[in-house]
Amino acid sequence: MKRTISILIENKPGALARAVGLFHQRGYNIESLNVAPLTDGTYSRMTVITKGTENVVEQITKQINKLIDVIKVSDLSEGEHHEIELIIFKFIKSKYNTRIQKILRKKKISVIERSDVVTVAIIDENSDFDSLVKSIGKNNIHEIVRSGGVGIHETEKNLNL
Amino acid sequence: MKYSGGELLLKALKDEGVKFIFGYPGGAALHIYDAIFRQKYVDHILVRHEQGATHAADGYSRATGKPGVVLVTSGPGATNAITGLATAFMDSIPLVVISGQVQSHLIGTDSFQETDMIGVSRPIVKHSYLVQSAEEIPSIVQEAFYIAQTGRPGPVVIDIPKDKTDPLHKYKYKKPAKPYLRSYQPKIKPHPGQIKKAAKAILSSERPVIYAGGGAIYSNAAKELSELNKILKVPVTNTLMGLGVYPAKNKLFLGMLGMHGTYQANMAMHNADLILAVGSRFDDRITNTPSLFAPNAKIIHIDVDPASISKIIKADIPIVGQVKDSLQALIKEIKRSKIKIDTDAIDIWNIQIDKWRKKHGLDHDLYQKKLKSKMIMPQVVVQELYNVTKGNAYVTSDVGQHQMFVAQYYHFNKPRRWINSGGLGTMGFGLPAALGVKLAFPKQEVVCVTGEGSIQMCIQELSTCLQYGLPIKVVNINNEALGMVRQWQDMNYGGRHSASTYQNSLPDFVKLTESYGHVGLKVTKPSNLRKTLEKSFAMKDKLVFIDVLVDPNEHVYPMLVAPNGSMKDMWLSKNKKT
């Protein structure tokens, strides 16, 4: 089962390596990982998308919580939450045809056009990356980059210091 | 007054009450070593290999409850400390391991004796620090000691680039304020609601077992455990790490449980209707197949580490907190509870356990019967050692059959007397650990029970023992083979002894010991065993190495049947199963 785990972690040297290393050490997998500092810059928020049974995810959150640099951990999948990802496609201009433009226009996008290439940034709220790539056609895309999912509680609930 | 980074380090260690540093010098640590030379509060113990330093500090810590301190240089000094770090990590031992690092500007350039110590040690430390500026050394040291000792204890690494200890740069020393970490606040007090639930469950049980482990020792909860069981009067078993936390002489003590646990301990666990796990972690050497573990037992699990709870065996009543505080709360709750334990049911349960004990329990009078046999039985060596030391010695061990024989036949009545590598199973642990214990308790008997395999993994520390005048006793249970490996090969590999014998290449341990400046004695006949042990212990100021040639065909029993066995499935001898 897919789970979205949010982690507040001290913004100290090596802290990220401890968190990421722990997944490998204990045999958990990481589907995607996103991390960036928040507000005062002393700590970061990570979103880890992982797969596992309830027991495994319980162990993951407990083990992550044990890391000295980790301030808080929450398994967002326990409740209603948004999981949003930024996907960027780059197209060779000649391949950026009306069919593709029509597909992408249904999404929240921002487009940067040059004479040779078109770069399209997509805010993906439905984690439908695979079907999106399929409908566009893999061979039509020049380059892809994904941010990995970032998660947040849908309700008033928050994960603050 | 201003101090170099190296001096700041020593001042900070002094402020933590450190008496001994176990270490080995080298380039990146030389500024620190010069600072050691120019102070008189902290003694440095020069080991012969960095692995020995970590185990010695570890033994010191297990016996005293204080953190052990290690100092090594960069590169090979640091990597040699890794096995000891992993050993301490697995058994939750508070160590502070300080490693020299190459100068900051050389980090990442593959410079001489450079190893990424933080990276290499990451999975086997509780926490680690790479010092960024000399001024932060005192606060890092204080934080490291705080982290190592609180919550679930564990080793902490401080990696210090050489330029941060350089005497050319001086700083003021200010004792840092008490550490506060927003990201680390270990829970001490248990939840009162959980304590209530646990008390009710215990008092309503008919076949309860208390299963106490190393956590009860580290939490200094031996007194509370005995107090609790003065009320309950229920059977108690200890893990390999927990031996001594409940007195072995108490008739409610079942002996050790698990892989080589006693018949009655394993049967009691399997048939229990309630298991009170106290600072123990349901290790795979305890549970056998987890899905078959104690099918009818309600599980109460007390542990300071929430990640240990429901990791292997689901806890019905989890209690997160220090064992000591949790037991105190539990005793209070049980005393004021209106429900009383059904003493008739408990009597029946204890009678059942006595039946098991009589049927297949260990024979603790083996030494009286086997004197006339041709070869010395390894179990008898431990029994005689117990007799000669009157059960009062600090006993360290290495890993293998001899370790299990000590766990089975040396009756530990006090905590912190039995010092062995339970989690990692590190051969080479025993001798340096004994050295650390002897430094802490110079007037006490300290014995290292070892085997001819394990002892050769850290035998160089005999030299350290001479340098610092540490008259420990080493009992080498010599079966001329890697006994436990061979036992498994006998049982599971058709007796094919692949790489478990030495083909007459063993050293003469007596001469070897003598060349290290100590006394070596050899015993081959059962009739000489007792005398030789007595003679050795009479030499109070000498390290005596007693090489005891034992029956090479002995196996350790009971032994849990694996795979797919439960705790009631045991080998009782070479051809008898439960």
Side-chain angles (χ1 to χ4, degrees):
Chain A
M1 200 181 137
K2 188 176 136 182
R3 309 291 283 217
T4 306
I5 297 170
S6 275
I7 302 163
L8 298 187
I9 187 166
E10 293 288 359
N11 205 357
K12 288 180 180 167
L16 179 61
R18 287 180 217 277
V20 175
L22 188 130
F23 275 81
H24 170 69
Q25 285 154 38
R26 299 211 174 250
Y28 315 138
N29 75 62
I30 296 179
E31 296 250 309
S32 84
L33 167 71
N34 179 284
V35 54
L38 299 186
T39 53
D40 66 355
T42 64
Y43 69 102
S44 293
R45 178 155 171 163
M46 291 171 71
T47 306
V48 182
I49 312 237
T50 183
K51 263 185 185 162
T53 61
E54 207 171 306
N55 285 349
V56 168
V57 174
E58 189 185 328
Q59 263 297 305
I60 292 177
T61 53
K62 281 174 166 180
Q63 294 292 353
I64 289 279
N65 223 342
K66 251 171 88 172
L67 293 173
I68 304 293
D69 286 336
V70 167
I71 307 163
K72 275 185 186 172
V73 183
S74 175
D75 176 7
L76 299 183
S77 326
E78 281 178 349
E80 289 169 48
H81 67 286
H82 298 293
E83 186 201 314
I84 300 166
E85 181 175 20
L86 180 68
I87 303 168
I88 306 176
F89 291 136
K90 190 155 76 188
F91 300 93
I92 299 294
K93 193 150 193 179
S94 58
K95 286 195 178 174
Y96 189 59
N97 55 34
T98 48
R99 186 186 68 84
I100 293 172
Q101 289 173 31
K102 213 174 146 192
I103 295 168
L104 289 174
R105 234 175 273 136
K106 291 181 198 149
K107 303 262 164 203
K108 288 181 186 163
I109 56 170
S110 131
V111 182
I112 305 161
E113 285 203 56
R114 281 168 46 118
S115 57
D116 49 350
V117 295
V118 182
T119 303
V120 183
I122 304 148
I123 294 174
D124 180 16
E125 292 173 353
N126 312 307
S127 53
D128 59 353
F129 174 79
D130 290 341
S131 57
L132 188 61
V133 171
K134 207 171 163 193
S135 62
I136 293 169
K138 204 172 129 200
N139 296 334
N140 295 323
I141 306 169
H142 191 58
E143 192 180 358
I144 307 174
V145 58
R146 303 172 65 180
S147 66
V150 288
I152 195 161
H153 290 292
E154 221 177 283
T155 59
E156 268 183 24
K157 208 173 162 191
N158 65 23
L159 186 70
N160 289 346
L161 275 188
Chain B
M1 188 79 179
K2 285 185 157 189
Y3 305 94
S4 71
E7 289 166 329
L8 289 179
L9 175 66
L10 267 295
K11 284 188 84 64
L13 292 176
K14 184 193 157 206
D15 280 349
E16 290 296 328
V18 174
K19 294 212 162 56
F20 299 107
I21 299 174
F22 300 89
Y24 205 104
L30 283 181
H31 294 324
I32 302 171
Y33 271 88
D34 195 53
I36 290 176
F37 191 88
R38 289 183 290 101
Q39 56 84 51
K40 55 180 190 301
Y41 301 101
V42 186
D43 281 337
H44 181 270
I45 306 298
L46 174 67
V47 293
R48 299 299 181 264
H49 187 292
E50 290 87 348
Q51 184 184 346
T54 50
H55 294 332
D58 184 321
Y60 175 86
S61 175
R62 290 181 203 230
T64 61
K66 294 174 190 157
V69 182
V70 175
L71 173 60
V72 295
T73 191
S74 64
T79 56
N80 280 346
I82 291 296
T83 300
L85 272 168
T87 305
F89 183 69
M90 283 293 265
D91 288 345
S92 311
I93 305 303
L95 295 188
V96 174
V97 175
I98 300 153
S99 50
Q101 182 53 279
V102 299
Q103 297 181 62
S104 307
H105 74 275
L106 291 174
I107 290 179
T109 64
D110 304 317
S111 58
F112 178 64
Q113 292 197 326
E114 182 189 355
T115 296
D116 172 13
M117 180 55 164
I118 298 297
V120 169
S121 64
R122 189 182 299 121
I124 49 166
V125 295
K126 186 168 174 190
H127 198 51
S128 52
Y129 298 87
L130 176 62
V131 170
Q132 311 278 343
S133 78
E135 286 162 292
E136 65 178 18
I137 288 175
S139 60
I140 285 179
V141 168
Q142 198 195 48
E143 212 171 279
F145 274 79
Y146 169 66
I147 289 171
Q149 296 176 80
T150 48
R152 180 175 179 175
V156 177
V157 162
I158 306 176
D159 200 31
I160 314 183
K162 188 172 184 180
D163 49 306
K164 309 303 178 206
T165 52
D166 194 331
L168 282 177
H169 307 288
K170 305 262 188 182
Y171 310 87
K172 278 198 177 132
Y173 177 73
K174 210 179 110 209
K175 202 178 167 187
K178 257 193 159 180
Y180 166 78
L181 287 99
R182 65 179 173 187
S183 61
Y184 175 71
Q185 278 139 20
K187 199 165 167 350
I188 295 167
K189 298 277 178 211
H191 190 279
Q194 295 300 93
I195 292 290
K196 259 199 183 115
K197 273 193 220 164
K200 197 177 162 201
I202 293 167
L203 294 173
S204 315
S205 70
E206 296 183 345
R207 299 186 310 282
V209 180
I210 298 176
Y211 145 57
I217 293 184
Y218 308 146
S219 183
N220 296 315
K223 200 182 109 226
E224 285 76 8
L225 188 62
S226 283
E227 198 185 325
L228 173 68
N229 211 33
K230 264 184 203 142
I231 308 170
L232 299 176
K233 298 189 176 60
V234 302
V236 180
T237 180
N238 286 163
T239 66
L240 178 66
M241 298 310 300
L243 290 173
V245 77
Y246 194 75
K249 65 182 175 206
N250 192 308
K251 64 179 192 323
L252 290 166
F253 185 60
L254 300 172
M256 180 174 74
L257 79 166
M259 174 71 93
H260 293 295
T262 65
Y263 179 73
Q264 64 270 21
N266 289 343
M267 289 301 279
M269 288 290 282
H270 187 80
N271 290 286
D273 70 345
L274 180 131
I275 292 172
L276 174 59
V278 183
S280 46
R281 59 184 177 91
F282 297 90
D283 176 87
D284 55 276
R285 284 295 189 272
I286 299 291
T287 59
N288 214 357
T289 314
S291 58
L292 303 177
F293 175 78
N296 301 313
K298 190 174 247 189
I299 310 283
I300 304 171
H301 193 170
I302 303 174
D303 207 295
V304 72
D305 174 13
S308 279
I309 294 176
S310 296
K311 182 175 66 175
I312 313 287
I313 301 292
K314 182 131 187 65
D316 298 294
I317 307 175
I319 300 174
V320 180
Q322 276 290 349
V323 169
K324 196 182 186 73
D325 299 76
S326 303
L327 288 183
Q328 281 170 353
L330 199 53
I331 291 165
K332 230 185 196 170
E333 185 59 36
I334 284 174
K335 277 184 177 165
R336 73 159 165 241
S337 171
K338 281 190 189 105
I339 319 169
K340 298 288 166 216
I341 200 159
D342 180 349
T343 51
D344 290 344
I346 301 296
D347 283 348
I348 294 169
W349 177 228
N350 279 323
I351 288 165
Q352 170 62 60
I353 283 166
D354 266 341
K355 279 185 193 157
W356 284 326
R357 196 192 308 259
K358 279 194 188 101
K359 197 170 165 199
H360 294 304
L362 300 171
D363 182 353
H364 291 289
D365 298 319
L366 217 51
Y367 65 99
Q368 288 173 340
K369 296 167 198 163
K370 295 285 177 177
L371 277 175
K372 295 211 170 74
S373 61
K374 247 187 168 166
M375 295 222 60
I376 298 171
M377 286 180 73
Q379 298 92 325
V380 171
V381 181
V382 177
Q383 293 186 328
E384 289 288 32
L385 178 68
Y386 176 81
N387 292 334
V388 170
T389 57
K390 301 184 177 66
N392 286 325
Y394 283 84
V395 183
T396 74
S397 91
D398 277 296
V399 172
Q401 287 185 323
H402 68 270
Q403 177 189 26
M404 292 301 116
F405 288 136
V406 179
Q408 290 180 332
Y409 292 97
Y410 199 100
H411 312 283
F412 292 95
N413 289 313
K414 290 178 194 161
R416 300 191 181 281
R417 295 288 166 128
W418 166 230
I419 288 157
N420 80 125
S421 165
L424 196 68
T426 309
M427 291 169 72
F429 177 82
L431 177 60
L435 175 172
V437 178
K438 190 70 181 175
L439 272 166
F441 299 108
K443 288 186 182 140
Q444 303 282 327
E445 291 292 5
V446 180
V447 189
C448 165
V449 179
T450 184
E452 81 299 317
S454 289
I455 192 66
Q456 293 190 80
M457 284 209 186
C458 265
I459 199 159
Q460 74 284 347
E461 301 308 331
L462 284 174
S463 177
T464 310
C465 291
L466 187 72
Q467 182 171 353
Y468 298 97
L470 301 170
I472 58 173
K473 305 292 179 271
V474 180
V475 177
N476 187 33
I477 299 187
N478 185 345
N479 58 3
E480 298 185 314
L482 299 173
M484 191 58 92
V485 170
R486 196 170 60 177
Q487 174 168 345
W488 280 61
Q489 289 171 337
D490 286 340
M491 295 175 76
N492 302 324
Y493 298 91
R496 294 182 295 280
H497 296 158
S498 177
S500 56
T501 57
Y502 316 100
Q503 283 140 18
N504 298 320
S505 63
L506 280 175
D508 178 334
F509 285 107
V510 171
K511 279 190 192 155
L512 184 63
T513 309
E514 283 169 357
S515 81
Y516 273 112
H518 305 297
V519 178
L521 299 170
K522 187 166 181 145
V523 192
T524 53
K525 281 191 217 128
S527 55
N528 288 338
L529 177 62
R530 177 76 173 245
K531 280 190 286 204
T532 313
L533 286 172
E534 279 168 353
K535 189 173 141 193
S536 308
F537 281 93
M539 288 187 254
K540 293 273 175 219
D541 56 345
K542 292 278 184 203
L543 184 153
V544 185
F545 188 110
I546 310 129
D547 185 26
V548 188
L549 216 62
V550 299
D551 187 341
N553 296 313
E554 273 302 305
H555 284 179
V556 184
Y557 294 109
M559 181 168 177
L560 291 176
V561 174
N564 306 322
S566 72
M567 283 193 86
K568 72 170 179 353
D569 303 313
M570 287 169 263
W571 285 99
L572 298 168
S573 68
K574 278 183 188 169
N575 38 35
K576 195 165 152 195
K577 258 200 265 193
T578 52

